Amino acid sequence: MEVIIAKDADAVAELGAQLVCELLNKKPEAVMGLTTGSTPIALYQKLIQRHQQGEASFRAITTFNLDEYIGMTADNPQSYRSFMNRELFDQIDILKANTHVPSCGLEDNPRAIGAAYERAISVAGGIDLQILGIGSNGHIGFNEPCSSLSSRTRMKILTESTVNDNSRLFSAEEFQPHLAVTMGIASILESRRVTLLATGAHKAEAVRDAIEGPLSARCQASALQMHERATFIIDEAAASCLEYGDYFRWANSENTPIIEKFGNFYELD
Ligand code: GLP
């Protein structure tokens, strides 16, 4: 596991953008896994900037988002589809037909939607780089504590803590869904490379449990310990509970000349 501790949220976004651009240079037709939430917005802004400066093209990529609320139509501003259109897709040269979100209407069978989503990922050739955030309870996507670590795309009922965390994004009159379809932990672990971005002290305990805690369904992000190419990019505040923080800083400085000479072990071949 690669743990990079950056100065602040802006530096986290910058490193995330570098990772995405390296992938696009190497593989313009890459398949990317994307996430919503407040954390990736700064990354998306940097990608938009690079696109506007002619440094990055998304024309040939395919994307799969991690999750979507059940019963949220694409035109609902609270849907993750709307979020992605607003925060990224509408501002870059991506082909909308190549962007996927696991949308599920109230009358749709979530089991069928989940299976179809898994098939679509596999038909696209699998995900090259999955971007992740982390919930304060350690969830990735909407894989809530104690979900199976072998889970696939399916319906999840959200925990009270997630509903409370996300309630800041809904006004009093707006309906806040408690059900979602999310890619599973097994689906995420199949991505060829994963990177988790976390910023802020409110994520510090979840980040500690994910990186240093026991591999446990209680902290779903701890499953990334089993991934060969998992990179955590976190700011100082999110790193503040790590016992091995100094080791990670030292390892990164030791690693720099090795990466310059031989390339990064975590990069895709
Ligand atoms: C939601 C999403 C997650 C995201 C998490 C953290 O619950 N389903 O994919 O990682 O929020 O979001 P934020 O970055 O806003 O803290």
Side-chain angles (χ1 to χ4, degrees), residues 27 135 139 147 156 198 207 214 251:
K27 191 173 179 185
H139 76 203
S147 298
K156 279 304 290 183
V207 163

Side-chain angles (χ1 to χ4, degrees), residues 84-98:
M84 290 309 301
N85 287 348
R86 195 169 54 238
E87 302 295 341
L88 184 65
F89 299 154
D90 286 345
Q91 302 184 64
I92 56 175
D93 60 343
I94 199 164
L95 300 178
K96 282 273 177 66
N98 294 341

Side-chain angles (χ1 to χ4, degrees), residues 27 31-33 66 114-115 117-132 140 149-153 183-195 223-224 226-230 268:
K27 191 173 179 185
V31 179
M32 291 200 47
L66 279 173
Y117 207 64
E118 291 280 330
R119 271 197 303 279
I121 294 173
S122 141
V123 167
I127 292 172
D128 293 303
L129 174 64
Q130 174 69 57
I131 311 279
L132 297 168
I140 46 179
L149 296 182
S150 298
S151 58
R152 294 269 163 198
T153 307
M183 271 167 62
I185 296 297
S187 336
I188 292 169
L189 291 181
E190 268 173 16
S191 308
R192 287 185 266 279
R193 187 174 184 185
V194 297
T195 184
L224 301 178
M226 296 296 291
H227 198 288
E228 194 187 2
R229 288 190 169 99
L268 297 174

Side-chain angles (χ1 to χ4, degrees), residues 251-265:
N252 279 321
S253 70
E254 289 288 297
N255 239 336
T256 306
I258 301 171
I259 290 175
E260 277 164 13
K261 215 164 157 190
F262 301 110
N264 190 343
F265 172 79

Side-chain angles (χ1 to χ4, degrees), residues 34-41 65-69 80 83 131-137 139-144 158 162-163 165-166 168-169 180-182 196-199 202-203:
L34 298 177
T35 183
T36 54
S38 317
T39 313
I41 292 179
N65 259 79
L66 279 173
D67 47 18
E68 177 61 286
Y69 290 119
Y80 283 171
F83 174 98
I131 311 279
L132 297 168
I134 186 168
S136 60
N137 66 3
H139 76 203
I140 46 179
F142 271 134
N143 294 287
E144 296 289 36
L158 307 185
T162 296
V163 172
D165 278 358
N166 289 352
R168 71 186 196 282
L169 305 167
V181 169
T182 180
L196 186 148
L197 309 183
T199 57
H202 60 301
K203 297 291 174 68

Side-chain angles (χ1 to χ4, degrees), residues 1-235:
M1 194 145 58
E2 186 182 33
V3 180
I4 300 173
I5 302 173
K7 185 168 86 245
D8 53 21
D10 186 65
V12 167
E14 184 55 38
L15 289 167
Q18 276 171 27
L19 217 86
V20 172
C21 290
E22 274 163 26
L23 173 67
L24 292 180
N25 281 337
K26 216 178 225 178
K27 191 173 179 185
E29 74 291 3
V31 179
M32 291 200 47
L34 298 177
T35 183
T36 54
S38 317
T39 313
I41 292 179
L43 161 67
Y44 295 155
Q45 280 169 358
K46 295 209 183 266
L47 294 178
I48 293 164
Q49 239 171 39
R50 280 173 162 75
H51 169 64
Q52 287 167 345
Q53 290 161 356
E55 293 165 18
S57 170
F58 301 85
R59 187 120 199 115
I61 71 163
T62 300
T63 66
F64 289 90
N65 259 79
L66 279 173
D67 47 18
E68 177 61 286
Y69 290 119
I70 290 184
M72 278 279 189
T73 50
D75 58 345
N76 187 320
Q78 288 289 5
S79 70
Y80 283 171
R81 161 55 75 184
S82 291
F83 174 98
M84 290 309 301
N85 287 348
R86 195 169 54 238
E87 302 295 341
L88 184 65
F89 299 154
D90 286 345
Q91 302 184 64
I92 56 175
D93 60 343
I94 199 164
L95 300 178
K96 282 273 177 66
N98 294 341
T99 67
H100 304 85
V101 172
S103 304
C104 182
L106 289 173
E107 300 306 318
D108 294 333
N109 176 350
R111 292 178 71 178
I113 299 278
Y117 207 64
E118 291 280 330
R119 271 197 303 279
I121 294 173
S122 141
V123 167
I127 292 172
D128 293 303
L129 174 64
Q130 174 69 57
I131 311 279
L132 297 168
I134 186 168
S136 60
N137 66 3
H139 76 203
I140 46 179
F142 271 134
N143 294 287
E144 296 289 36
C146 306
S147 298
S148 162
L149 296 182
S150 298
S151 58
R152 294 269 163 198
T153 307
R154 72 220 181 285
M155 184 190 89
K156 279 304 290 183
I157 295 164
L158 307 185
T159 59
E160 206 181 340
S161 78
T162 296
V163 172
N164 288 341
D165 278 358
N166 289 352
S167 65
R168 71 186 196 282
L169 305 167
F170 290 82
S171 68
E173 316 76 63
E174 272 176 327
F175 166 66
Q176 185 185 354
H178 298 176
L179 299 179
V181 169
T182 180
M183 271 167 62
I185 296 297
S187 336
I188 292 169
L189 291 181
E190 268 173 16
S191 308
R192 287 185 266 279
R193 187 174 184 185
V194 297
T195 184
L196 186 148
L197 309 183
T199 57
H202 60 301
K203 297 291 174 68
E205 287 178 9
V207 163
R208 176 199 59 204
D209 293 349
I211 296 173
E212 297 177 341
L215 172 63
S216 162
R218 186 177 267 270
C219 176
Q220 293 281 302
S222 68
L224 301 178
Q225 294 170 17
M226 296 296 291
H227 198 288
E228 194 187 2
R229 288 190 169 99
T231 300
F232 281 72
I233 307 178
I234 58 181
D235 69 357

